[in-house]
Amino acid sequence: MRTFRILTAGLLCAFLLAGTAAWAKETIVVNGSTTVLPIGQATAEAYMKKNPDVNLSISGGGSGNGIKALIDKTTQIAMSSREMKKEEIELAKSKGVNPVMHKIAIDALTPIVHPSNPVSDLTIEQLSLIYQGKIRNWKEVGGKDMQIVVVSRDTSSGTYESWQEKVLHKEKVSPRAQLQASSGAVVQAVSKNRYAIGYIGIGYVNKSVKAVKVNGVAANAKTALDGSFPIARPLYMYTDGEPKGAVAGYLNFVKGKEGQQIVKKEGFVPIQ
Amino acid sequence: MTRSFKELIIKRVFFLFASASILILALIVAFLFREGIPIFEHVPVRDFLFGSEWYPTFSPPSFGIWPLIVGSFIVTFFSTLIAVPLGVLSAIYISEIAPPAVKEIAKPVIELLAGLPSVVLGFFGMVVLAPWLQDTFDLPTGLNIVNASIMLALMAVPTISSISEDALYSVPREFKEASYALGATKSETILRVIVPSALSGISTAVILGMARAIGETMVVLMVAGGAAAIPESLFDSVRPMPASIAAEMGEAPFRSDHYHALFATGIILFFLTLAFNLVADYISNKFKEVGSGTL
């Protein structure tokens, strides 16, 4: 009987301990850009393996959504493929949120064409005119006499916004452009169509498409870092105030050596 | 427990479940309107419906869904054009001509088309039909109206076929017998007697098939090409309304103008499918076969 009691008490204690341990597990919510999402997921997995007491919940709803969630305090970390807009910062300040920017990787926005396309180098100006629908034939940029099929991301994508800012200089993308819902779909569309041109983050470039040089510079880690590739953009994570505790631990991991190796493995450019 | 009391309880339970589903539907509609209406505070209804530019994230943004409406109607129209002969003729074949053994196989096979997930059809259109169309007709792109119409037609065929078949099946036997008694051949009976008597049901089938095509999202998202411009030829890309909503909702910031505009597009779609269903209902009531030819 006595042993039974001790056993019961022991079991109870064990349960209680296990219970408190489970309660102590800290959950960090990360939300935002779908471009940054693969980095977020891979680093979170690695981080949780090393720190079992931290639970990272990652979801992608777009840069705008992530920033909105940060302002509403429903997420601790917002992933973003663009800098916060002035209005967003003002809105955040008015709600007592102080957004702090963390640069975590660099992405080179690479124009791609079908592998059979002889065009391998375009200037920003040419890309801009192609996307505005003003250059409509490949022979105008040194290719074959074929119509150009312009493939773009849809209007709410952060990648689309970056492209519009850095290539189109605020002009509108031609309404005749085919809009694809994801970078993967852009690769698929361009790889199947010898008339097509598209643009994707450097992490998505593969053998089924041909990356085009811009102003004579090929997109890679070196040119993206030294700024010679003209369509590079940083990827960010935002926090409310300077990060503390587990949030700081995770961000330091992402920005640190291991995290940056994961960034590289995912096809993006590490910051160092 | 008395029988009448049992009866009462059963009635109440059924009533509860029926009203629950109606309530849920009403809440969804209310939500749709609540999220969609705010856009009209910034954009007049006229500009929203008939504006020709859809640049929801540009500054300043323009929210004109006319190209999307046109895109929806064009692919629906052409898919109907393809699906109606396929659906109706297969229904006639299955209900009137096919020997029982063929019927046993043909009917489930056609219905299997309805069971194919639309993403599979979309994928087929994207990787098989699009390159084929492009090579065969030497087009700049295979993701166009023709491709989307063919894929949507495949989705609408089971709807049209099975409802038409029900209509053909319910044509009273006396009609056929009278026709044969007058010396008409089988094809004369089918074309002059059975099909005309089932016409209300067949029209309903066609309209419900169209409603299915106009609301279908995945296929048009994958194979219509997604260009928000009024097409100039059948081989141009279009961007139907459901494709727009599906492509953009994920990244439109919550409760922004863009978000409200997408919900407003959903309201337009809701009214369109509602209209289709009302017309189908009207036709099936108006031309309902009353009484049969018995003496």
Side-chain angles (χ1 to χ4, degrees):
Chain A
M1 199 63 207
R2 208 187 145 83
T3 35
F4 178 72
R5 261 192 213 152
I6 292 172
L7 236 144
T8 324
L11 272 174
L12 259 172
C13 283
F15 275 127
L16 276 174
L17 274 176
T20 36
W23 278 112
K25 198 161 182 178
E26 195 173 343
T27 298
I28 304 174
V29 181
V30 185
N31 187 4
S33 164
T34 48
T35 308
V36 190
L37 188 63
I39 300 177
Q41 276 168 337
T43 50
E45 265 169 42
Y47 186 74
M48 283 191 282
K49 208 172 266 175
K50 289 180 73 180
N51 302 274
D53 55 328
V54 178
N55 182 31
L56 285 149
S57 148
I58 312 251
S59 58
S63 305
N65 264 347
I67 289 165
K68 179 95 179 19
L70 186 77
I71 295 171
D72 292 340
K73 298 182 184 168
T74 54
T75 189
Q76 279 107 315
I77 300 176
M79 302 181 283
S80 179
S81 61
R82 58 171 170 83
E83 272 181 47
M84 272 176 83
K85 293 174 185 165
K86 225 173 90 197
E87 308 91 74
E88 287 170 334
I89 295 175
E90 274 163 22
L91 183 66
K93 292 255 161 79
S94 75
K95 291 198 175 179
V97 172
N98 177 32
V100 176
M101 187 168 91
H102 307 271
K103 202 161 150 185
I104 57 147
I106 292 169
D107 183 21
L109 274 176
T110 319
I112 49 168
V113 294
H114 191 264
S116 75
N117 196 322
V119 175
S120 60
D121 193 348
L122 290 167
T123 64
I124 287 275
E125 187 58 25
Q126 284 171 329
L127 283 169
S128 172
L129 291 173
I130 288 172
Y131 271 83
Q132 287 173 48
K134 288 180 182 155
I135 293 181
R136 287 179 160 219
N137 197 304
W138 281 110
K139 81 178 170 200
E140 291 173 63
V141 291
K144 295 177 200 158
D145 182 10
M146 303 191 299
Q147 197 187 327
I148 300 179
V149 172
V150 175
V151 179
S152 171
R153 284 293 307 281
D154 52 78
T155 46
S156 33
S157 136
T159 306
Y160 172 92
E161 268 182 50
S162 304
W163 186 260
Q164 194 172 41
E165 189 193 312
K166 297 206 186 286
V167 175
L168 284 142
H169 303 298
K170 304 282 175 193
E171 290 297 319
K172 283 178 179 166
V173 169
S174 154
R176 305 228 161 263
Q178 292 195 353
L179 300 190
Q180 296 289 348
S182 67
S183 295
V186 172
V187 174
Q188 168 78 16
V190 173
S191 70
K192 293 261 175 235
N193 190 341
R194 60 197 178 92
Y195 295 79
I197 182 167
Y199 59 85
I200 47 174
I202 191 169
Y204 284 93
V205 176
N206 63 26
K207 276 180 192 154
S208 68
V209 291
K210 177 170 139 187
V212 176
K213 288 181 190 166
V214 180
N215 294 347
V217 182
N220 57 40
K222 191 176 161 288
T223 56
L225 270 177
D226 67 19
S228 57
F229 184 77
I231 342 176
R233 57 166 178 176
L235 302 176
Y236 303 101
M237 285 188 179
Y238 277 94
T239 52
D240 174 15
E242 283 302 330
K244 289 190 271 295
V247 176
Y250 170 64
L251 278 168
N252 286 334
F253 176 78
V254 175
K255 289 188 270 186
K257 207 174 158 199
E258 270 178 88
Q260 289 302 306
Q261 247 157 17
I262 295 171
V263 164
K264 202 172 171 183
K265 218 175 105 204
E266 293 295 319
F268 295 92
V269 181
I271 37 179
Q272 289 120 11
Chain B
M1 200 184 284
T2 62
R3 282 182 64 192
S4 64
F5 186 62
K6 249 190 203 166
E7 191 75 1
L8 190 74
I9 289 181
I10 291 169
K11 267 189 193 163
R12 286 282 151 84
V13 168
F14 274 83
F15 176 76
L16 205 72
F17 279 102
S19 33
S21 51
I22 290 172
L23 183 74
I24 291 167
L25 190 68
L27 286 176
I28 292 174
V29 173
F31 176 77
L32 184 64
F33 277 81
R34 197 191 67 178
E35 300 295 304
I37 295 290
I39 188 67
F40 298 118
E41 286 165 18
H42 307 286
V43 186
V45 179
R46 229 185 104 88
D47 292 359
F48 183 72
L49 284 178
F50 301 111
S52 61
E53 285 199 331
W54 175 252
Y55 285 101
T57 56
F58 200 76
S59 65
S62 29
F63 297 103
I65 63 166
W66 185 240
L68 315 183
I69 295 178
V70 171
S72 274
F73 272 106
I74 284 181
V75 292
T76 306
F77 176 77
F78 284 102
S79 70
T80 312
L81 222 56
I82 301 167
V84 166
L86 282 175
V88 173
L89 293 180
S90 68
I92 293 175
Y93 176 75
I94 288 172
S95 79
E96 301 298 327
I97 301 169
V102 177
K103 195 172 171 171
E104 295 271 292
I105 298 168
K107 202 174 152 67
V109 165
I110 289 176
E111 264 151 27
L112 202 67
L113 272 180
L116 272 182
S118 50
V119 68
V120 173
L121 274 175
F123 194 64
F124 176 80
M126 208 166 162
V127 300
V128 180
L129 190 59
W132 182 82
L133 279 173
Q134 197 182 357
D135 293 345
T136 314
F137 300 102
D138 192 28
L139 304 171
T141 173
L143 302 174
N144 54 30
I145 297 172
V146 174
N147 192 336
S149 302
I150 292 173
M151 287 298 138
L152 286 179
L154 284 181
M155 299 206 68
V157 161
T159 310
I160 296 180
S161 176
S162 71
I163 301 177
S164 302
E165 208 211 322
D166 287 344
L168 291 166
Y169 183 77
S170 57
V171 171
R173 245 182 65 204
E174 292 86 353
F175 283 25
K176 291 186 222 169
E177 284 166 358
S179 171
Y180 288 134
L182 288 168
T185 61
K186 188 156 194 173
S187 57
E188 281 168 345
T189 307
I190 290 172
L191 291 177
R192 304 261 177 91
V193 177
I194 298 175
V195 172
S197 344
L199 214 52
S200 79
I202 293 173
S203 325
T204 312
V206 169
I207 289 161
L208 290 179
M210 288 172 82
R212 180 152 166 63
I214 205 165
E216 165 53 36
T217 309
M218 205 60 197
V219 164
V220 289
L221 180 64
M222 292 172 84
V223 302
I230 311 271
E232 286 161 358
S233 91
L234 273 185
F235 296 112
D236 275 357
S237 298
V238 287
R239 185 175 180 82
M241 287 181 277
S244 251
I245 299 174
E248 294 171 28
M249 191 50 93
E251 295 194 53
F254 185 60
R255 300 245 160 106
S256 60
D257 280 356
H258 187 189
Y259 171 94
H260 292 307
L262 291 175
F263 269 95
T265 312
I267 296 178
I268 308 295
L269 255 179
F270 170 75
F271 278 125
L272 281 175
T273 38
L274 185 70
F276 276 123
N277 279 286
L278 288 178
V279 170
D281 203 46
Y282 174 78
I283 290 176
S284 68
N285 278 322
K286 169 120 195 201
F287 302 105
K288 208 186 218 152
E289 210 56 61
V290 269
S292 63
T294 45
L295 288 170

